Amino acid sequence: MKSYHWILGFVLLTLSSNAFAESNTGVPAKEALQKLIDGNIRFTKGTSKRPNQSLERIREVSKKQTPFATIVGCSDSRVPNEIIFDQGLGDLFIVRTAGQVSTYASWGSIEFSVAVLGVNLVVVLGHSNCGAVNAACKANDVPGHIITLTNAIKPAAEKTKHLEGDWLEHAVKANVALQVTSLRKLDPILSKLYNNGQIQIVGAVYDLETGKVSFLDEEYILSISK
């Protein structure tokens, strides 16, 4: 019965998301993005502050969560989001799948973070040498449901196979760009809020060797998505 009440409450909140978002008092997208950039700089310099990881913070967020950004990232164990952005408990709402491929459960989770938790910034985060993207480029047979991941990434592989340089590197970047565009067009919640300028959805790539996160230029996202 408790589970049923939670689901009903979530549905009602989601259905009323437009009214909620209009009065959203969450961290502005520009400020949230700068917090991520600054945190990653600290991480790469070895000067991480490791904020919001105290016992007091545990008690504070046990009552309510107010993350300032949503990260749609890859499940790769080498890309721990709170660590690479130097954030703590309750700071980031994280959705992770291999190749950061999104489907219904992921979409609902992202919508929940925006419509219910008040997040104004969504970051699609890929990473160098991604195994899922590599599998899509090689087009080899893969077992089980892994095929659903590679099939979702193949458009990025196809768009970049003619480019000079490292195909995998190009495909990783293009995969992020295409996913950003897809989320910007996702009805009924994200597309409306994005088009109204109430939220921002951006892309980035994490370098496994340096720890640096590079955010994609808007011009690139638009060009690769044509």
Side-chain angles (χ1 to χ4, degrees):
M1 183 62 69
K2 289 183 179 180
S3 175
Y4 170 79
H5 286 159
W6 187 94
I7 294 172
L8 179 60
F10 170 74
V11 171
L12 291 173
L13 280 169
T14 301
L15 289 174
S16 62
S17 62
N18 290 339
F20 181 93
E22 289 174 358
S23 60
N24 188 357
T25 57
V27 176
K30 185 176 181 180
E31 181 181 340
L33 180 59
Q34 193 60 53
K35 285 167 67 74
L36 294 178
I37 293 173
D38 292 344
N40 182 245
I41 290 174
R42 293 194 299 271
F43 171 69
T44 57
K45 289 184 176 181
T47 58
S48 295
K49 297 179 179 179
R50 299 176 179 84
N52 295 330
Q53 298 178 29
S54 64
L55 293 176
E56 289 75 16
R57 180 63 170 178
I58 292 175
R59 289 190 286 270
E60 178 186 351
V61 296
S62 69
K63 300 177 178 64
K64 181 182 180 181
Q65 63 166 320
T66 54
F68 69 82
T70 293
I71 311 296
V72 183
C74 182
S75 299
D76 196 296
S77 62
R78 299 166 292 179
V79 194
N81 295 178
E82 285 91 351
I83 294 177
I84 67 173
F85 287 116
D86 192 26
Q87 302 301 323
L89 294 166
D91 290 331
L92 303 177
F93 189 90
I94 299 171
V95 181
R96 299 179 69 176
T97 61
Q100 66 276 349
V101 172
S102 293
T103 186
Y104 292 101
S106 297
W107 295 331
S109 299
I110 300 166
E111 289 173 336
F112 179 83
S113 72
V114 170
V116 179
L117 300 181
V119 169
N120 292 313
L121 175 69
V122 177
V123 179
V124 178
L125 179 65
H127 67 89
S128 63
N129 199 30
C130 179
V133 177
N134 188 38
C137 289
K138 292 181 177 178
N140 293 334
D141 290 334
V142 292
H145 293 89
I146 300 175
I147 190 68
T148 62
L149 300 174
T150 56
N151 282 345
I153 299 170
K154 280 181 180 178
E158 288 297 315
K159 277 182 171 287
T160 55
K161 66 181 181 181
H162 65 285
L163 299 178
E164 294 183 3
D166 190 308
W167 185 17
L168 176 56
E169 182 179 341
H170 287 309
V172 164
K173 190 176 178 182
N175 184 45
V176 170
L178 291 176
Q179 291 169 350
V180 166
T181 300
S182 178
L183 290 180
R184 288 175 177 179
K185 295 179 179 179
L186 186 64
D187 292 330
I189 296 175
L190 297 186
S191 61
K192 180 175 182 179
L193 296 179
Y194 176 77
N195 290 329
N196 288 343
Q198 293 171 263
I199 65 171
Q200 288 298 316
I201 304 174
V202 301
V205 176
Y206 173 76
D207 191 313
L208 290 177
E209 294 186 0
T210 65
K212 181 180 179 181
V213 174
S214 299
F215 287 86
L216 303 187
D217 293 332
E218 183 64 19
E219 183 178 347
Y220 173 79
I221 293 175
L222 295 177
S223 66
I224 205 70
S225 301
K226 290 182 180 178

